[in-house]
Amino acid sequence: MRIEGRGRGAEGRERLTVVPETTDDLWHLSHVLEPGDRVEADTTRRVQRDDENLRDTGGEREHMHVTIEVEDVEFARFANRLRVGGVIVGCSREDQLGHHHTINVEERSELTVEKQFKPDQIERIEEAEEATDAPDVAIATVEEGAAYIHTVQQYGTEEYASFTKPTGKGEYARPREELFGELGDALAHVDSDAIILAGPGFTKNDARDHVTEQHRELADRITVVDTSAAGDRGVHEVLKRGAVADVQRETRIAREAELIDRLTEHIAEGAKATYGVAETMEAAEFGAVETLLVLDERLRQERQGEGDWDVDANELIESVERKGGDVVVFSAEFAPGQQLRNLGGVAALLRYRLQ
């Protein structure tokens, strides 16, 4: 994310001009924009031609500059696009004022957001700016008969490819080199600066030797990590152990995995942890919250008045920050966020145990 400018808007609002550079940046913006915000950008809009000397052709697309008051926001991950819909309140063509319009925000398109930013929203954008130059990482996990490749994004991990080649003995058994060959060919096409190769036993080491022999350009990019499993479980272990953080320190996924593990361990031990909005708010009021864990999708729902919490989400966050606690907003796209969702979308690691 590039921040191109800052300024003041009307009625005490802030103006922030940004350029999203990756799909991650579009995802971050989807959790910053809210109904009532104003978004300004260049766009195209279908305009009816009803001039006396021109036949109505059903509308032609024209380039124009618009400002809309946001009504809805949709992150279309697989289309690499953020859709921001609302009513036009400013436009280079006055006859378009009051009409509904959707701005399609894509990578490298500039937009200006005018709103009363909350501290965690500004922090999110600034972290996205810092993460722009962070290396891209792929996690390859391999075991006998199967291999998987996941790419690491700030909104979570995505499975890029999977391979199964029965090895060992039997009618359908295939040489291990066939599995390793497919894995290496796929890794050669992944756009990543670093590759973490993980899995149980010695299979991953044999896979590394084969891959680097066939694709020498990958040798300096591969780091081998031991895990007890391949696939999703292996990826979680890689994140938990901090292997990704070593090569991509700006990503927050590894921190989320570590925090959710600490939380579940403390809950199981009846130690310094709590979950649920009422219990977490009580801990915040006592100044007992060391780290607040809150799910991005739940935070967005509550701020838009679509949730069911009995307390104000902003008051909860402000209470924690006033008393020196940290706030970590989890991604709902990643496994730790899904675990947090099962706990009501909010929890806390505590400084001391509450009776």
Side-chain angles (χ1 to χ4, degrees), residues 233-349:
R233 280 184 53 201
V235 169
H236 179 74
E237 287 187 54
V238 168
L239 295 171
K240 180 181 177 182
R241 295 182 183 193
V244 171
D246 290 341
V247 293
Q248 192 184 35
R249 295 188 181 279
E250 302 305 328
T251 185
R252 298 182 60 174
I253 301 175
R255 185 185 184 198
E256 292 178 15
E258 189 272 334
L259 285 172
I260 203 69
D261 282 343
R262 281 179 56 196
L263 179 72
T264 54
E265 288 172 7
H266 287 354
I267 290 173
E269 297 167 356
K272 297 182 291 185
T274 191
Y275 62 93
V277 65
E279 294 81 357
T280 304
M281 187 65 182
E282 180 183 14
E285 291 173 343
F286 278 107
V289 174
E290 179 180 82
T291 306
L292 176 68
L293 286 53
V294 60
L295 191 64
D296 54 10
E297 67 176 19
R298 175 50 67 93
L299 183 58
R300 182 179 180 85
Q301 289 172 353
E302 295 299 325
R303 282 174 167 167
Q304 294 180 2
E306 299 172 357
D308 56 6
W309 286 358
D310 293 330
V311 302
D312 184 276
N314 294 326
E315 289 183 8
L316 173 60
I317 290 174
E318 290 167 5
S319 178
V320 170
E321 292 180 332
R322 274 199 310 270
K323 296 173 183 177
D326 293 327
V327 178
V328 178
V329 180
F330 275 53
S331 164
E333 300 284 341
F334 184 54
Q338 294 163 13
Q339 290 178 261
L340 186 59
R341 181 192 291 122
N342 294 335
L343 297 173
V346 62
L349 294 165

Side-chain angles (χ1 to χ4, degrees), residues 15-214:
R15 286 174 59 86
L16 198 64
T17 301
V18 299
V19 177
E21 297 185 309
T22 65
T23 305
D24 285 337
D25 293 339
L26 298 176
W27 172 74
H28 283 303
L29 286 173
S30 74
H31 290 284
V32 170
L33 296 176
E34 301 170 288
D37 295 346
R38 296 196 170 191
V39 171
E40 180 181 337
D42 290 322
T43 187
T44 62
R45 178 171 171 77
R46 192 174 296 281
V47 177
Q48 295 288 342
R49 302 297 300 273
D50 55 3
D51 297 348
E52 291 182 1
N53 297 325
L54 291 175
R55 181 168 57 88
D56 187 353
T57 60
E60 298 176 359
R61 285 208 166 271
E62 293 189 10
H63 288 274
M64 59 187 68
H65 193 79
V66 303
T67 301
I68 66 171
E69 185 169 304
V70 177
E71 292 181 348
D72 53 80
V73 180
E74 177 190 2
F75 172 49
R77 183 200 314 171
F78 299 107
N80 295 334
R81 176 179 294 176
L82 179 68
R83 294 170 55 85
V84 184
V87 175
I88 297 176
V89 295
C91 187
S92 53
R93 280 189 52 148
E94 291 187 3
D95 61 341
Q96 298 303 302
L97 294 175
H99 292 279
H100 192 278
H101 182 69
T102 297
I103 299 174
N104 290 311
V105 184
E106 299 178 339
E107 296 172 12
R108 294 178 292 281
S109 58
E110 182 178 287
L111 71 157
T112 297
V113 180
E114 184 176 308
K115 64 176 293 172
Q116 292 179 331
F117 286 93
K118 301 174 181 67
D120 63 284
Q121 294 170 336
I122 288 292
E123 180 181 357
R124 188 176 202 130
I125 289 177
E126 290 176 345
E127 287 181 352
E129 181 185 32
E130 292 172 4
T132 297
D133 297 326
D136 295 321
V137 178
I139 301 175
T141 56
V142 61
E143 58 189 358
E144 288 298 334
Y148 310 84
I149 299 174
H150 288 72
T151 56
V152 179
Q153 312 292 338
Q154 291 176 49
Y155 55 77
T157 58
E158 288 186 344
E159 185 175 296
Y160 173 83
S162 63
F163 315 93
T164 55
K165 291 282 184 180
T167 55
K169 298 180 179 180
E171 180 181 356
Y172 301 103
R174 306 297 302 167
R176 301 165 84 218
E177 288 73 20
E178 289 190 13
L179 175 67
F180 299 158
E182 289 193 12
L183 175 64
D185 290 343
L187 286 173
H189 288 89
V190 175
D191 184 15
S192 62
D193 300 296
I195 299 168
I196 296 173
L197 182 58
F202 295 102
T203 307
K204 61 183 176 297
N205 302 93
D206 296 337
R208 175 200 56 197
D209 294 343
H210 185 90
V211 168
T212 54
E213 181 179 343
Q214 298 297 318

